[in-house]
């Protein structure tokens, strides 16, 4: 059969299943377009705490339109789909009601793992039954070459997302230690495995044997594990952002396999926005974006200066009464929240303290470092939960110049993001990372559990020992509660 005849046969109806699968009614195309626009508006809304609720609503409406459109287009098995949606929805509802805001980072990591596994399962289903997906070449009876690329990349990215997110969840949840786990020659291993996976995806074009597909999947699960275990707890915000990007690209790749434009649009939006956010986070932590992709970017230096804090240096200890007196006499107080506030769940008590200060005529502002906490925006979410006014919350670049004009910097559970060694000590693992200039305030009140520990980066903080610093050693919530009581008297 020559090419012209093959083309004629194809047009005559040899590939009706493929044509039927690829064809989408105009109304469905418009519906998917509308959902895509709503997803873009959702991202725009989520860029600011003020508009985040509206952004969430846009995202939910867009997803509802996409899901309903897909169900109408593929009207088979609706009962099974409805049961699956009901089960998944019930699990999601109960989880969302029960989860504490402090546990949100590990919940996000767990959700990323589910997105990755969904991509893997779709790829497996497409490989086992390509006819149902309309990806069979009518001339050869084999899977279309372009679909093999989509399938190989989709299963690879999905598997990496799944295993990497599982490790991130275990680290964030405390089931694994937060310290980096170093493997000898890990960069060479990671680069070699990535090259092998890409090579196998290329080989998959010429040989669609099951062993090729299975090896791609297995190696991708393995490298996802290897990419994350060398990363320490201090770098988890970037990891969460990076895995978010991976989950989006996995969804986009599967969107091509399913011929679903809504999945392609959504996945591309999530993937690109996650990549941009990862880049921003890398700049905030003075990390190389390429080293993030390679894995273990926090491992070479993180913890290099670990060990106990230098307690032999002189430092001043204060009480809740001292803190209450100093802040009530101040004109402006800048609050610097960190992960210690999240762990102690002190955000509500903190807002109560700030409300009392404002009644005394004190101006209160909150300074947020982009990598404070365990995920991007962690501190913003906690403060929003405590109903802290949005106009009192400022990012690093907007607030840093005001510390020198403030009477008190109240640091609650933040360490590395306030460490001036990042500006002066070239040997420090956090050197070059932008930090909040709390030491420039007239008085620094530093809430910390004890002097015996250091931040996740494993370096001591010179602010503890400065003449203008008063250490408030206690659980963050207990200390703030005590300060509130002292203010009330």
């Amino acid at each position: 059969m020559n090419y012209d005849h093959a083309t004629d046969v194809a047009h005559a109806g040899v590939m009706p299943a493929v044509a039927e699968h690829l064809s989408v009614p105009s109304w469905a195309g418009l519906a998917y377009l509308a959902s895509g626009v709503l997803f873009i508006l959702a991202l725009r809304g989520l860029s600011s705490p003020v508009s985040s609720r509206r952004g969430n609503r846009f995202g939910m409406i867009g997803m509802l339109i996409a899901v309903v459109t897909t169900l109408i287009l593929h009207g088979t098995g609706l009962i099974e789909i409805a049961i699956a949606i009901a089960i998944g929805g019930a699990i999601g509802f109960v989880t969302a009601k029960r989860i504490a805001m402090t546990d949100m980072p590990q919940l996000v990591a767990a959700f990323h793992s589910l997105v990755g596994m969904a991509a893997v399962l779709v790829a497996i289903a497409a490989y086992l039954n390509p006819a149902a997906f309309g990806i069979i070449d009518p001339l050869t009876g084999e899977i279309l070459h372009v679909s093999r690329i989509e399938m190989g990349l989709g299963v690879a990215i999905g598997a990496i997302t799944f295993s990497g997110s599982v490790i991130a969840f275990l680290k964030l949840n405390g089931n694994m230690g937060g310290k980096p786990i170093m493997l000898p020659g890990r960069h060479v291993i990671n680069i070699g495995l990535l090259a092998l996976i890409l090579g196998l995806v290329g080989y998959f074009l010429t040989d669609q044997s099951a062993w090729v597909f299975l090896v791609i999947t297995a190696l991708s699960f393995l490298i996802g594990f290897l990419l994350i275990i060398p990363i320490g707890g201090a770098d988890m915000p970037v990891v969460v952002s990076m895995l978010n990007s991976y989950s989006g690209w996995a969804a986009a790749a599967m969107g091509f396999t399913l011929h679903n434009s809504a999945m392609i649009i959504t996945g591309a939006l999530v993937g690109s926005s996650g990549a941009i956010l990862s880049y921003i986070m890398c700049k905030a932590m003075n990390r190389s974006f390429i080293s993030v992709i390679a894995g273990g970017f926090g491992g070479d230096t993180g913890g290099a200066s670990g060990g106990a804090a230098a307690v032999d240096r002189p430092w001043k200890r204060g009480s809740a009464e001292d803190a209450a007196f100093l802040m009530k006499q101040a004109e402006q107080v800048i609050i610097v929240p960190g992960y210690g506030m999240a762990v102690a769940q002190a955000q509500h008590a903190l807002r109560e303290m700030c409300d009392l200060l404002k009644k005394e005529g004190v101006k209160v502002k909150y300074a947020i470092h982009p990598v404070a906490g365990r995920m991007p925006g962690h501190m913003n979410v906690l403060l929003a939960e405590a109903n802290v006014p949005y106009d009192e919350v400022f990012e690093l670049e907007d607030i840093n110049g005001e510390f020198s004009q403030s009477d008190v910097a109240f640091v609650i559970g933040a360490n590395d993001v306030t460490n001036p060694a990042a500006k002066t000590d070239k040997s420090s693992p956090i050197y070059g990372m932008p930090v909040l200039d709390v030491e420039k305030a007239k008085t620094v009140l530093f809430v910390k559990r004890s002097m015996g520990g250091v931040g996740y980066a494993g370096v001591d903080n010179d602010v503890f020992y400065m003449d203008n610093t008063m250490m408030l050693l206690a659980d963050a919530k207990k200390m703030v509660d005590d300060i509130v009581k002292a203010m009330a008297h």
Side-chain angles (χ1 to χ4, degrees):
M1 179 182 294
N2 60 34
Y3 175 78
D4 292 335
H5 183 57
T7 304
D8 293 338
V9 173
H11 283 296
V14 171
M15 48 187 307
V18 176
E20 181 182 355
H21 196 85
L22 290 173
S23 62
V24 176
S26 57
W27 67 266
L30 290 173
Y32 283 146
L33 178 62
S35 66
V37 171
L38 286 169
F39 292 145
I40 294 172
L41 293 175
L43 285 175
R44 180 176 177 82
L46 292 172
S47 65
S48 168
V50 178
S51 58
S52 59
R53 291 180 184 272
R54 183 172 67 250
N56 267 319
R57 285 194 291 268
F58 282 140
M60 289 187 287
I61 295 171
M63 184 55 68
L64 178 64
I65 292 173
V67 170
V68 171
T69 302
T70 302
L71 291 177
I72 294 174
L73 287 176
H74 307 279
T76 58
L78 289 180
I79 296 177
E80 293 88 344
I81 293 174
I83 293 173
I85 291 176
I87 295 173
I91 294 173
F93 179 82
V94 172
T95 302
K97 293 290 287 184
R98 291 184 176 179
I99 198 74
M101 293 303 296
T102 49
D103 295 332
M104 193 59 66
Q106 47 264 51
L107 179 66
V108 172
F111 282 167
H112 288 162
S113 73
L114 295 178
V115 175
M117 181 52 73
V120 172
L121 294 176
V122 169
I124 292 173
Y127 179 80
L128 294 176
N129 189 8
F133 290 79
I135 56 175
I136 288 183
D137 188 328
L139 301 180
T140 64
E142 296 182 340
I143 299 174
L144 293 167
H145 285 81
V146 66
S147 297
R148 295 189 206 182
I149 296 176
E150 297 161 2
M151 193 183 303
L153 293 177
V155 74
I157 300 172
I160 292 171
T161 303
F162 174 79
S163 56
S165 298
V166 168
I167 299 301
F169 170 84
L170 295 175
K171 282 178 174 279
L172 290 166
N173 204 45
N175 302 108
M176 287 181 67
K179 293 183 178 180
I181 300 173
M182 301 302 170
L183 294 176
R186 64 188 181 280
H187 293 305
V188 175
I189 295 173
N190 290 345
I191 293 173
L193 284 174
L194 283 172
L196 181 57
I197 290 170
L198 291 175
L200 286 171
V201 171
Y203 181 71
F204 194 46
L205 286 172
T206 61
D207 184 357
Q208 66 175 49
S209 299
W211 74 266
V212 182
F213 184 79
L214 290 175
V215 171
I216 292 172
T217 306
L219 290 178
S220 300
F221 278 124
L222 176 61
I223 197 172
F225 172 79
L226 294 175
L227 284 172
I228 306 303
I229 59 169
I231 299 176
D235 297 321
M236 275 300 132
V238 185
V239 172
V240 172
S241 175
M242 178 181 67
L243 291 171
N244 176 60
S245 179
Y246 289 172
S247 67
W249 295 124
M254 287 302 97
F256 282 104
T257 299
L258 295 172
H259 309 296
N260 189 300
S261 57
M263 277 189 70
I264 297 171
I265 293 171
T266 306
L269 286 173
V270 174
S272 56
S273 61
I276 293 169
L277 181 58
S278 297
Y279 176 76
I280 293 171
M281 302 290 281
C282 286
K283 287 185 64 177
M285 297 185 72
N286 192 36
R287 305 297 192 189
S288 164
F289 184 72
I290 299 300
S291 63
V292 175
I293 305 301
F297 60 97
D300 293 328
T301 55
S305 303
V311 294
D312 57 330
R313 298 169 63 182
W315 54 277
K316 293 186 295 186
R317 181 167 187 166
S319 65
E321 291 74 18
D322 296 329
F325 175 79
L326 287 169
M327 286 193 286
K328 286 177 70 173
Q329 303 305 313
E331 291 185 7
Q332 176 167 290
V333 173
I334 298 181
I335 310 295
V336 181
Y339 189 61
M341 183 197 75
V343 172
Q345 301 187 41
Q347 61 269 27
H348 295 281
L350 183 66
R351 194 220 57 207
E352 184 181 356
M353 181 191 83
C354 293
D355 287 345
L356 291 175
L357 286 174
K358 286 187 284 187
K359 287 181 180 179
E360 296 288 336
V362 180
K363 190 174 184 179
V364 176
K365 293 185 177 182
Y366 295 80
I368 306 298
H369 193 282
V371 296
R374 290 296 171 267
M375 63 178 285
H378 194 184
M379 294 300 104
N380 301 76
V381 171
L382 291 174
L383 295 178
E385 183 201 16
N387 294 318
V388 171
Y390 299 135
D391 58 0
E392 294 177 6
V393 181
F394 297 87
E395 300 297 328
L396 178 146
E397 60 272 14
D398 299 321
I399 194 72
N400 238 5
E402 294 196 33
F403 281 104
S404 59
Q405 306 163 19
S406 300
D407 299 291
V408 176
F410 186 83
V411 185
I412 175 168
N415 192 341
D416 296 330
V417 297
T418 63
N419 195 332
K423 298 177 287 186
T424 59
D425 185 1
K426 292 186 178 180
S427 64
S428 172
I430 60 172
Y431 178 72
M433 181 178 83
V435 292
L436 292 162
D437 298 330
V438 298
E439 75 279 5
K440 294 182 179 180
K442 293 179 182 177
T443 301
V444 180
L445 299 175
F446 214 114
V447 181
K448 192 174 185 289
R449 282 185 177 273
S450 70
M451 293 297 292
V454 291
Y456 274 99
V459 291
D460 201 11
N461 193 338
D462 286 339
V463 173
F464 301 160
Y465 313 104
M466 292 181 174
D467 292 337
N468 62 331
T469 298
M470 184 178 293
M471 300 301 298
L472 306 175
L473 302 183
D475 172 82
K477 186 174 186 303
K478 183 180 185 306
M479 176 55 69
V480 176
D481 283 337
D482 290 343
I483 292 174
V484 169
K485 291 176 184 177
M487 286 181 176
H489 291 153

